[in-house]
Amino acid sequence: MTEETPGFDEKPDVPSDAASEDAAQEAESADKAGSAPAGDATEGTQDVALTAQLDQARSALNERTADLQRLQAEYQNYRRRVERDRVTVKEIAAANVLTELLPTLDDIGRAREHGELVGGFKSVAESLETVVAKLGLAQFGKEGEPFDPTIHEALMHSYAPDVTETTCVAILQPGYRIGERTIRPARVAVAEPQPGAQNVKSGSEDDAKGAKASDEESGGPEEG
């Protein structure tokens, strides 16, 4: 009877740790292979979101800049309007006061024309004229200047042969203005060209030209 040798029919033992390590490496490789495309897609989505947020921030910045520029322009217009209104109010207030003084200034002017502006009255009158000049009051209106209905008021009318257009021949009352604002027009006497005088003058000039031409053709005027 033959004895069996123990251990020859059994399969050799394979270490279980090595098998587990190989399986883990294969699983990790599979995970890496599967997760790589997913990571790229996630990064692309984040870039798109960041770009959209940047565009939105730029749009908001442009809107705020436009609003600031508009507010600044409105403020500048407001400042100019306030300054213009302040100057206008000042001129109106000064005009109201100076208008009440115009009769006094007219009396001073008449006294000066008649030689009555002497002594203490002269000093007071000159001081008053200096003060109103500092407030911006200016006198206008001179004899011989063309008549302008926007600054002159015609109180007398006549014809004159020595004028070629409607002319102020006498200043009855001077005009006054403050800056560009006329507070009283100059009251004047005007003269217009004599009816027919222009035609007579033109005829005389034509005759003179004709006589000169005849003299030139004949060699000059005949001597007696």
Side-chain angles (χ1 to χ4, degrees):
M1 186 174 180
T2 306
E3 294 180 358
E4 294 181 358
T5 303
F8 284 97
D9 292 338
E10 294 179 0
K11 295 181 180 180
D13 295 332
V14 178
S16 60
D17 293 338
S20 299
E21 185 177 355
D22 292 339
Q25 290 178 353
E26 291 178 359
E28 183 178 358
S29 300
D31 291 340
K32 290 182 179 180
S35 62
D40 294 340
T42 303
E43 290 179 358
T45 303
Q46 292 177 351
D47 292 340
V48 172
L50 290 175
T51 302
Q53 292 178 358
L54 180 60
D55 292 339
Q56 185 177 3
R58 287 175 177 173
S59 299
L61 178 61
N62 292 333
E63 291 178 0
R64 299 299 180 271
T65 303
D67 292 340
L68 180 61
Q69 292 174 347
R70 183 169 56 255
L71 289 175
Q72 185 176 8
E74 291 178 355
Y75 177 68
Q76 294 296 334
N77 292 333
Y78 169 76
R79 287 187 60 186
R80 285 192 290 267
R81 185 169 60 253
V82 169
E83 181 64 19
R84 184 173 61 251
D85 293 344
R86 186 184 66 81
V87 173
T88 301
V89 170
K90 181 180 178 180
E91 289 183 354
I92 292 175
N96 292 335
V97 173
L98 294 174
T99 299
E100 299 297 327
L101 293 176
L102 294 185
T104 303
L105 296 175
D106 291 336
D107 292 338
I108 292 173
R110 284 190 291 267
R112 181 179 286 112
E113 291 176 357
H114 292 86
E116 299 175 356
L117 198 63
V118 294
F121 178 50
K122 179 180 179 181
S123 177
V124 173
E126 291 177 350
S127 298
L128 178 61
E129 290 175 339
T130 301
V131 170
V132 297
K134 289 182 178 180
L135 292 176
L137 185 68
Q139 186 182 101
F140 66 90
K142 295 181 179 180
E143 294 182 5
E145 63 185 8
F147 175 75
D148 184 352
T150 61
I151 60 174
H152 296 136
E153 180 182 354
L155 300 182
M156 299 177 63
H157 176 269
S158 62
Y159 294 96
D162 57 343
V163 297
T164 58
E165 59 180 342
T166 305
T167 305
C168 300
V169 295
I171 306 300
L172 306 179
Q173 278 186 333
Y176 289 96
R177 66 165 61 97
I178 299 178
E180 299 298 326
R181 182 190 299 273
T182 300
I183 62 175
R184 191 182 74 181
R187 293 164 180 171
V188 300
V190 300
E192 292 183 348
Q194 189 75 30
Q198 189 68 24
N199 296 332
V200 172
K201 184 177 179 181
S202 299
S204 300
E205 291 177 355
D206 293 339
D207 293 341
K209 290 180 181 179
K212 183 178 180 181
S214 300
D215 292 340
E216 290 177 353
E217 292 176 357
S218 60
E222 296 180 359
E223 296 182 357

